[in-house]
Amino acid sequence: NLFIRIGRVQYIVVSFVLFVFFLFGERLVVLWVGEENIDSYLMALLFFIASVIPMIQNMGILTLQSMNKMKFYSILNISIGIVSIIFAIPLVKIYGSLGYVITISVALLVGQGLLMNIYYYRVLKIDILRFWCQILEISIIPVCITTLFYFVANFYLSNSPFMLLLSVLIFTILYFLPLWFFSLNVYEKNLFLVPITKLLNRKKSSY
């Protein structure tokens, strides 16, 4: 339950950042370093997507540490590094830096994603299927909103800094409002409400 509860919270934050970068990262790259470096956006996006699973399953690593079962995790990371180097050499010759990022991303998805989830299920007895059902449940609304916003953004957004900031603000509001009412549970809502309530109470007491 703790693995799922913490994972949900981490996913809410990580997925929001990912979707913002997916929608607006390309325009940010163009504004910041120029259109000739647009490949850096694609490379960052691929690596970001591949890193989502280990970022939302940090609780599993902490559990392994507390149970002194880090051997498999360490061997897996070394294997990921070796396999990445082996496959990266030919891909770099064909695709350049993008080939290396593709190799790393696939290795992370297979290693940190598939294999570690099998390990969590078999060794730590974590209900991984329930975990991913929960993640899928809270992904429906954000994915739909992001998809709609993507098509709107392609037609109406310019590359001006002001429009970029305004678009991020509008997307943030449209993203969190339905998520708040239809996807977040009481525990997750309190994580946002309690700090805000404390801050407001402090301001009132100061007056």
Side-chain angles (χ1 to χ4, degrees):
N1 286 336
L2 184 61
F3 183 90
I4 295 173
R5 187 169 63 184
I6 300 299
R8 277 176 60 100
V9 174
Q10 290 175 322
Y11 178 75
I12 291 167
V13 176
V14 171
S15 62
F16 170 68
V17 177
L18 173 61
F19 290 140
V20 167
F21 185 73
F22 168 72
L23 288 172
F24 309 107
E26 186 174 356
R27 288 176 172 84
L28 179 62
V29 169
V30 171
L31 284 171
W32 190 16
V33 293
E35 199 166 341
E36 63 275 8
N37 294 298
I38 202 69
D39 283 350
S40 59
Y41 160 74
L42 181 58
M43 289 188 286
L45 182 62
L46 286 174
F47 186 74
F48 199 160
I49 293 171
S51 301
V52 168
I53 295 177
M55 282 193 286
I56 67 175
Q57 293 185 342
N58 282 335
M59 196 63 205
I61 306 303
L62 295 176
T63 304
L64 290 176
Q65 289 174 342
S66 65
M67 298 174 66
N68 197 25
K69 290 186 176 181
M70 290 293 291
K71 183 177 180 181
F72 175 80
Y73 180 73
S74 301
I75 294 173
L76 180 63
N77 281 333
I78 294 172
S79 302
I80 289 174
I82 294 172
V83 171
S84 297
I85 293 172
I86 293 172
F87 284 94
I89 294 173
L91 285 178
V92 166
K93 292 180 180 178
I94 301 172
Y95 301 107
S97 300
L98 182 60
Y100 183 71
V101 174
I102 292 172
T103 306
I104 292 285
S105 300
V106 172
L108 281 174
L109 287 172
V110 174
Q112 297 282 1
L114 179 62
L115 297 181
M116 280 305 299
N117 275 256
I118 293 173
Y119 186 79
Y120 289 147
Y121 175 75
R122 290 187 175 179
V123 178
L124 299 186
K125 306 303 179 184
I126 294 173
D127 192 347
I128 287 296
L129 182 59
R130 181 167 166 250
F131 171 84
W132 284 112
C133 285
Q134 293 275 320
I135 296 299
L136 180 62
E137 178 189 329
I138 59 175
S139 296
I140 295 172
I141 291 176
V143 168
C144 291
I145 292 172
T146 303
T147 302
L148 290 173
F149 208 91
Y150 173 77
F151 290 107
V152 172
N154 278 340
F155 282 106
Y156 296 105
L157 285 187
S158 67
N159 287 333
S160 69
F162 173 76
M163 284 301 298
L164 185 62
L165 288 173
L166 180 61
S167 301
V168 172
L169 178 61
I170 293 172
F171 174 73
T172 301
I173 295 171
L174 294 175
Y175 183 94
F176 278 107
L177 274 180
L179 194 68
W180 179 272
F181 289 107
F182 300 109
S183 296
L184 301 190
N185 57 38
V186 176
Y187 169 76
E188 291 156 359
K189 289 180 180 178
N190 285 335
L191 288 177
F192 292 96
L193 288 176
V194 171
I196 294 173
T197 304
K198 287 183 179 179
L199 182 62
L200 292 175
N201 290 335
R202 284 182 184 178
K203 286 189 175 181
K204 287 182 181 179
S205 62
S206 64
Y207 292 112

